Amino acid sequence: MRLALVVPNYNHRGAIERTLEALAAFDLPCYLINDGSDDETRFLLIELTEKYPWVTLLHHPYNRGKGAAVMTGLRTAYADGFTHALQVDADGQHDLADIPAMIERAESAPEALISGLPQYDESVPKGRLYGRYITHFWVWVETLSFDIKDSMCGFRIYPLAATEKLFLSHALGERMDFDIEVLVRLYWQGVLIIHLPTRVIYPEDGVSHFQGLKDNVRISLMHSKLFFGMLWRQPKRLLQSIKQLFTASNKNKHWSNMTERGSYWGIKLIAESYRFGGHWLCRAIMYPVIVYFFITGSTARAASKQFLEHVKQQQPDHPQLSESLSWRDSLKHFFAFGNAALDRIDAWCDRIKLEQVEFPNREMLANELAAGNGAVLLVSHLGNLELCRAISIHQRKVKVNVMVLTENAENFNRVLKQLNPDSALNLIQVTELGPSTSMLLQQKIENGELVVIAGDRTSSQTAGRVIYQDFLGEQAPFPQGPFILAGLLDCPVYTMFCLRQNGRYHVHLEHFADTLKGPRAGRAERIEQAVDEFSTRLARHALSEPLQWFNFYDFWRKDEQAQRTHANSSDCSNDCNSKGQASK
């Protein structure tokens, strides 16, 4: 992260020198914008830049407004190669001692906007304080959420790539309306807004450039524009996020390269409807969405039909499927996917109670953890793996680490984190299982924690490293990585399938192996046996609850690397060995 300071200034002669003196301790480059100040202030700013060589002075020939000055600073910083900019007002209102905490938070969430959440003392003018609540209300309406707790604080760290994208697509207000509008539009753009409490004071000698009537009119007009923009964009965005869930553009792609099914905004809307209206409101919004997915999602619809046909071949009289498979079965499959999403939110928000969960073998795992031993749980995308939170909810000392092998669920996971920031469930996002991942997870196991790994999805990053096993009557590729990793961790391994059955949640926990570690000479056979056992268990539970199978892609698709290897070998002539070496 490359961070610069942005300080807008319009005739703040009394406070600007104190502000720069305090900022010098942070050793950050600074863009000081003279927004058409009078001559006395302009000369003072020139003197200060000579005194502080880390300050770059930018001039507006006339007063354009605070928003214009901030935009000039942000765009100049971005053009100069900075990734983030910390906006600080020149009037001395902000508690600069909070800067290290803001920087630390920005480093941990580089794509987010970090904003101060004002904590006022008695110096705040009551009219300004009460006026803020009117703006808060309209911002909550415009975003359909309470995520933006304060939109008027000018103490922020901006992610510059996101702000530049916004500036190139929208003309924003250039005066006191800027701070509000930029935050709302960045939120619409999918930028996460994180607030940190900060003390704000109004100095006795402070100069305010807030023009009561003019700025209130500007802000009112801005809110009107945002409100009607929200009414226009929300249905359009919802349809876009709907279409992304199952689009034909994902056809023939490896599952881990498919785009995330639903924009951040669309997923956030579902989450907010859950917060305010629970399941009934979510379903009222979600079911029409799912029907749209079903109609437009030819790739996912074909995958559903393919899977259900395999089930039907194994169990022709399956009670959950029609006698003759039709589109209605696939639509039921889609609805089950939507309902499972609500179950995931329930699990994340600690709303699943112990009495709702059938977990007959829980003591088997509890005893392992009580002895200070960590364990690996092999799971799948059958049912609801978030129900493993039944462990962390009801045994608070247990930490659960879930491997996420792709970024294609980043928006959904981000929304879940916002719903319950204190969750004991830790999502570890990686692109492949490598040595660094192994070392990280080894530490988790040694600390007596659980590591959850899905064993039913290959990765496009590890093409060729699969094992083919029979699954519902046809050979399907299973990844080697989870089983190799479980062997490296040298700990007890369990399988866990979390299914909703007869209106209750059932956690099917089974012992898999004391360890998958063993002599190197027999590793291939040992891993193949482990994959065979896992695929057998997966098939058994998939046949039990086929509508809870949520791999909406061709599960039996041949691994890409295997296809290329086969093509190369087919084209080889007698000099195949030399060509093969060259291709490798």
Side-chain angles (χ1 to χ4, degrees):
M1 185 174 78
R2 294 194 62 206
L3 179 68
L5 297 164
V6 169
V7 182
N9 185 288
Y10 176 59
N11 290 335
H12 285 294
R13 287 190 298 274
I16 184 59
E17 186 167 8
R18 295 193 300 270
T19 299
L20 292 179
E21 184 177 353
L23 290 173
F26 299 103
D27 193 26
L28 292 170
C30 176
Y31 293 94
L32 177 61
I33 301 90
N34 168 33
D35 187 31
S37 301
D38 57 31
D39 288 345
E40 187 176 353
T41 304
R42 181 162 55 86
F43 292 140
L44 172 63
L45 297 181
I46 293 172
E47 290 177 5
L48 290 174
T49 56
E50 293 174 354
K51 180 179 179 181
Y52 299 111
W54 45 274
V55 177
T56 299
L57 184 60
L58 307 173
H59 290 281
H60 285 176
Y62 59 91
N63 177 243
R64 293 173 53 190
K66 176 188 176 183
V70 172
M71 282 190 280
T72 294
L74 296 179
R75 303 198 75 172
T76 304
Y78 182 72
D80 288 346
F82 290 95
T83 61
H84 292 74
L86 170 59
Q87 175 190 340
V88 177
D89 287 351
D91 56 8
Q93 287 187 13
H94 300 150
D95 186 357
L96 303 183
D98 289 330
I99 287 179
M102 295 187 75
I103 294 175
E104 181 180 1
R105 193 68 184 91
E107 288 175 337
S108 67
E111 295 181 358
L113 184 147
I114 313 302
S115 176
L117 181 61
Q119 310 294 304
Y120 295 106
D121 60 15
E122 295 302 319
S123 66
V124 60
K126 299 305 179 187
R128 296 283 295 273
L129 180 63
Y130 299 145
R132 298 178 82 92
Y133 286 101
I134 299 175
T135 283
H136 295 345
F137 168 79
W138 282 112
V139 167
W140 296 335
V141 170
E142 291 150 7
T143 60
L144 297 179
S145 79
F146 295 111
D147 289 344
I148 299 179
K149 298 177 176 63
D150 186 283
S151 61
M152 302 182 74
C153 180
F155 192 24
R156 301 171 176 173
I157 295 182
Y158 287 92
L160 292 178
T163 56
E164 182 65 15
K165 177 182 176 182
L166 176 62
F167 296 155
L168 290 173
S169 60
H170 291 84
L172 274 64
E174 293 193 340
R175 294 192 176 273
M176 294 297 181
D177 48 351
F178 169 81
D179 283 338
I180 305 165
E181 185 176 9
V182 71
L183 213 59
V184 171
R185 290 195 180 276
L186 284 174
Y187 183 86
W188 283 355
Q189 195 172 288
V191 174
L192 176 63
I193 311 297
I194 298 175
H195 294 275
L196 290 181
T198 185
R199 187 171 62 92
V200 175
I201 61 171
Y202 283 78
E204 293 183 4
D205 59 347
V207 177
S208 173
H209 298 299
F210 189 87
Q211 302 172 351
L213 178 59
K214 289 184 178 180
D215 282 322
N216 278 319
V217 169
R218 287 191 189 99
I219 291 173
S220 297
L221 291 173
M222 180 266 302
H223 281 308
S224 299
K225 180 173 65 174
L226 292 177
F227 175 74
F228 287 107
M230 179 269 295
L231 292 180
W232 169 256
R233 76 172 45 240
Q234 305 305 38
K236 183 178 178 181
R237 279 177 169 255
L238 181 58
L239 287 175
Q240 288 175 345
S241 64
I242 287 168
K243 193 171 182 179
Q244 287 174 9
L245 182 62
F246 302 115
T247 60
S249 64
N250 286 327
K251 191 174 183 179
N252 297 325
K253 286 185 178 180
H254 190 279
W255 77 269
S256 61
N257 289 331
M258 293 180 181
T259 54
E260 181 167 8
R261 297 171 175 178
S263 67
Y264 171 79
W265 183 92
I267 296 169
K268 185 66 177 174
L269 177 62
I270 296 293
E272 290 301 324
S273 66
Y274 171 90
R275 191 197 302 268
F276 290 111
H279 282 211
W280 72 268
L281 181 57
C282 265
R283 288 194 174 96
I285 295 174
M286 189 172 62
Y287 280 7
V289 169
I290 292 173
V291 171
Y292 184 91
F293 287 158
F294 180 77
I295 294 171
T296 61
S298 59
T299 302
R301 200 168 59 242
S304 170
K305 181 181 178 183
Q306 177 196 39
F307 171 75
L308 295 179
E309 284 176 344
H310 277 82
V311 173
K312 198 70 171 168
Q313 289 170 6
Q314 300 296 311
Q315 290 189 14
D317 299 324
H318 199 289
Q320 295 182 18
L321 303 178
S322 303
E323 183 176 347
S324 177
L325 278 178
S326 69
W327 61 268
R328 294 181 181 84
D329 294 282
S330 287
L331 183 58
K332 284 167 57 181
H333 196 183
F334 277 50
F335 280 133
F337 173 77
N339 290 330
L342 298 185
D343 288 342
R344 291 181 69 184
I345 298 175
D346 277 341
W348 197 273
C349 294
D350 295 355
R351 294 190 180 183
I352 295 179
K353 306 303 180 186
L354 185 59
E355 58 270 17
Q356 296 176 269
V357 180
E358 294 285 348
F359 198 168
N361 292 333
R362 185 163 64 96
E363 289 303 317
M364 177 170 60
L365 186 59
N367 293 337
E368 196 81 62
L369 297 171
N373 302 323
V376 167
L377 298 182
L378 290 174
V379 299
S380 70
H381 292 80
L382 172 72
N384 196 334
L385 68 88
E386 254 79 11
L387 287 181
C388 65
R389 279 187 47 72
I391 300 168
S392 60
I393 292 170
H394 304 298
Q395 298 181 37
R396 287 293 182 180
K397 295 181 180 179
V398 178
K399 292 186 178 179
V400 183
N401 305 279
V402 178
M403 303 299 299
V404 183
L405 295 180
T406 177
E407 297 181 356
N408 75 340
E410 182 178 357
N411 284 334
F412 192 84
N413 293 329
R414 216 171 104 195
V415 171
L416 289 181
K417 277 285 190 184
Q418 292 173 18
L419 287 172
N420 187 359
D422 300 324
S423 171
L425 192 64
N426 179 34
L427 295 175
I428 303 176
Q429 183 171 292
V430 296
T431 55
E432 62 176 299
L433 299 176
S436 60
T437 306
S438 176
M439 289 187 288
L440 170 66
L441 297 183
Q442 185 66 58
Q443 185 63 49
K444 304 291 186 185
I445 294 296
E446 291 174 358
N447 292 339
E449 301 177 17
L450 292 175
V451 172
V452 180
I453 310 174
D456 63 337
R457 287 190 177 181
T458 61
S459 169
S460 64
Q461 303 295 323
T462 57
R465 284 172 269 178
V466 301
I467 294 176
Y468 284 88
Q469 289 291 344
D470 179 81
F471 182 73
L472 299 184
E474 185 178 347
Q475 293 287 300
F478 285 83
Q480 298 177 7
F483 303 91
I484 294 174
L485 181 60
L488 293 174
L489 296 177
D490 190 18
C491 64
V493 182
Y494 298 83
T495 56
M496 188 169 72
F497 299 92
C498 307
L499 304 172
R500 186 159 190 168
Q501 299 170 307
N502 302 318
R504 296 174 60 79
Y505 304 102
H506 291 255
V507 180
H508 300 272
L509 180 73
E510 300 176 63
H511 181 265
F512 192 77
D514 291 331
T515 180
L516 290 180
K517 188 175 182 179
R520 185 177 182 84
R523 188 178 74 167
E525 293 79 6
R526 192 166 55 254
I527 296 301
E528 187 170 352
Q529 290 174 4
V531 173
D532 179 54
E533 177 61 24
F534 179 79
S535 66
T536 300
R537 296 187 186 187
L538 178 62
R540 183 174 74 248
H541 289 289
L543 288 173
S544 169
E545 295 293 336
L547 297 180
Q548 296 183 48
W549 174 265
F550 301 133
N551 286 313
F552 284 93
Y553 64 93
D554 182 359
F555 191 77
W556 292 267
R557 180 178 186 265
K558 295 296 183 278
D559 183 68
E560 291 176 350
Q561 183 64 31
Q563 287 181 325
R564 289 196 295 269
T565 302
H566 177 71
N568 286 342
S569 63
S570 298
D571 292 339
C572 279
S573 57
N574 292 332
D575 61 345
C576 149
N577 287 336
S578 60
K579 290 184 179 180
Q581 291 300 321
S583 68
K584 288 178 183 179

